[in-house]
Amino acid sequence: MENPIHSHGDVMTSYLGLLCQGKSDFDHIEPFRKDPVFQTCLGVRKVPSSPTLRQRLDAAAQTMNANWNEILLQESADLIRNVKAPVTGLTAGEHTVIPLDIDVSPFDNSGTKKEGVSLTYKGTFGYAPIFAYLGQEGYSVNVQLREGSTHSQKDGADFLRESIQYARRITKERLLVRMDSAHDSLENLQVCHAEPEVDYIIKVNLRNTSKESWLRIAEDKGMACEQRPGKTEYMGVIAFPEKGFDQALRQVFQVIGVSKIFVGDIQE
């Protein structure tokens, strides 16, 4: 668009001004068009109308040569670093690591007809975006909006790799990636092993493993503690070779046996 009435900067700044107030609908811009405080504080030459805001942002999203999402994520990470925001880690003995938590968080958009709304794994109709949070403060360093029926691990390795890169724009400290069993895959393990100064905890998916077999491993390899008669807790670690890795992988387990029936968490 040649010589637009509203510059791209004014459009983006105005919308960011809405988001900072918890407003996301384009129509929310209308009350601010005649608000001199809004315009002055943001340094906007002219506040755009709702149709202009919608059309310009839709056009930006459809522009193949402009990766707006990547630019916004990079600038967001740089902002956290430049303002020297505290990034609090976790301490174990003499070592400190910065947690990088990655997980899918389904939205409930039931009753709407928005594009991409479908059945999520939680049984509601909505979207299934995936998020990456850094530090105990939970700074959002990466996000991807996805249809509700999208599998949690779809493009998961790429998202993990990108999240580590964005986290590195903020801190050079050692990272601790934490993911649940939906992300238990060799691809994710390979990404973590390939990145320097990255540890990880990924909960094992027990779908293809019988609980009885883990109970036998726990009884053989674990340290037992009898909580009460008939209830025994086992904790331990096993190492096993995996094709494509230059060192054995470790699984830490916690198994609770109750009359040969147990529940447990196993992590890689």
Side-chain angles (χ1 to χ4, degrees), residues 136-241:
Q136 294 196 56
E137 292 79 6
Y139 299 114
S140 179
V141 297
N142 199 6
V143 60
Q144 185 182 92
L145 180 63
R146 307 187 303 178
E147 296 185 4
S149 58
T150 304
H151 189 276
S152 296
Q153 185 51 27
K154 179 177 173 57
D155 300 325
D158 291 335
F159 185 85
L160 170 59
R161 189 178 296 106
E162 294 169 357
S163 300
I164 293 175
Q165 292 173 356
Y166 292 134
R168 283 286 176 240
R169 298 178 76 100
I170 300 172
T171 178
K172 300 302 181 184
E173 298 294 328
R174 192 171 187 87
L175 299 177
L176 174 63
V177 173
R178 301 189 295 191
M179 308 174 78
D180 66 15
S181 59
H183 304 282
D184 178 17
S185 75
L186 286 178
E187 288 183 326
N188 287 341
L189 297 180
Q190 290 166 349
V191 171
C192 292
H193 275 258
E195 295 288 343
E197 297 295 312
V198 172
D199 295 321
Y200 63 90
I201 297 176
I202 301 178
K203 188 174 181 180
V204 172
N205 191 328
L206 296 176
R207 184 177 304 170
N208 298 321
T209 307
S210 68
K211 295 181 178 180
E212 289 74 15
S213 65
W214 272 109
L215 181 57
R216 290 194 295 271
I217 292 174
E219 291 174 336
D220 182 42
K221 304 291 186 180
M223 180 177 62
C225 178
E226 188 173 15
Q227 303 291 345
R228 58 173 173 76
K231 178 181 179 181
T232 305
E233 179 181 1
Y234 302 90
M235 297 186 66
V237 58
I238 61 174
F240 61 95

Side-chain angles (χ1 to χ4, degrees), residues 19-30:
L19 294 178
C20 289
Q21 299 178 79
K23 303 177 185 295
S24 58
D25 290 347
F26 297 133
D27 291 337
H28 290 158
I29 196 65
E30 293 299 328

Side-chain angles (χ1 to χ4, degrees), residues 16-207:
L16 288 173
L18 288 182
L19 294 178
C20 289
Q21 299 178 79
K23 303 177 185 295
S24 58
D25 290 347
F26 297 133
D27 291 337
H28 290 158
I29 196 65
E30 293 299 328
F32 296 101
R33 296 184 66 194
K34 297 181 180 179
D35 185 346
V37 175
F38 183 84
Q39 182 175 345
T40 301
C41 289
L42 295 179
V44 175
R45 180 171 60 86
K46 188 175 179 63
V47 179
S49 64
S50 173
T52 297
L53 200 61
R54 178 181 290 104
Q55 293 167 8
R56 194 71 65 83
L57 292 178
D58 283 346
Q62 296 170 6
T63 301
M64 298 301 294
N65 295 328
N67 195 338
W68 289 88
N69 188 60
E70 182 179 354
I71 294 172
L72 290 173
L73 290 171
Q74 290 176 352
E75 292 298 321
S76 177
D78 291 345
L79 175 62
I80 296 173
R81 182 192 68 233
N82 292 336
V83 301
K84 294 181 173 56
V87 182
T88 306
L90 302 171
T91 301
E94 299 179 352
H95 303 283
T96 298
V97 291
I98 307 298
L100 178 62
D101 297 309
I102 298 177
D103 198 9
V104 172
S105 181
F107 289 176
D108 186 352
N109 299 97
S110 303
T112 69
K113 297 182 179 180
K114 296 180 179 180
E115 181 181 357
V117 168
S118 52
L119 186 65
T120 70
Y121 69 84
K122 284 194 174 181
T124 59
F125 283 87
Y127 297 106
I130 184 170
F131 298 90
Y133 303 102
L134 182 67
Q136 294 196 56
E137 292 79 6
Y139 299 114
S140 179
V141 297
N142 199 6
V143 60
Q144 185 182 92
L145 180 63
R146 307 187 303 178
E147 296 185 4
S149 58
T150 304
H151 189 276
S152 296
Q153 185 51 27
K154 179 177 173 57
D155 300 325
D158 291 335
F159 185 85
L160 170 59
R161 189 178 296 106
E162 294 169 357
S163 300
I164 293 175
Q165 292 173 356
Y166 292 134
R168 283 286 176 240
R169 298 178 76 100
I170 300 172
T171 178
K172 300 302 181 184
E173 298 294 328
R174 192 171 187 87
L175 299 177
L176 174 63
V177 173
R178 301 189 295 191
M179 308 174 78
D180 66 15
S181 59
H183 304 282
D184 178 17
S185 75
L186 286 178
E187 288 183 326
N188 287 341
L189 297 180
Q190 290 166 349
V191 171
C192 292
H193 275 258
E195 295 288 343
E197 297 295 312
V198 172
D199 295 321
Y200 63 90
I201 297 176
I202 301 178
K203 188 174 181 180
V204 172
N205 191 328
L206 296 176
R207 184 177 304 170

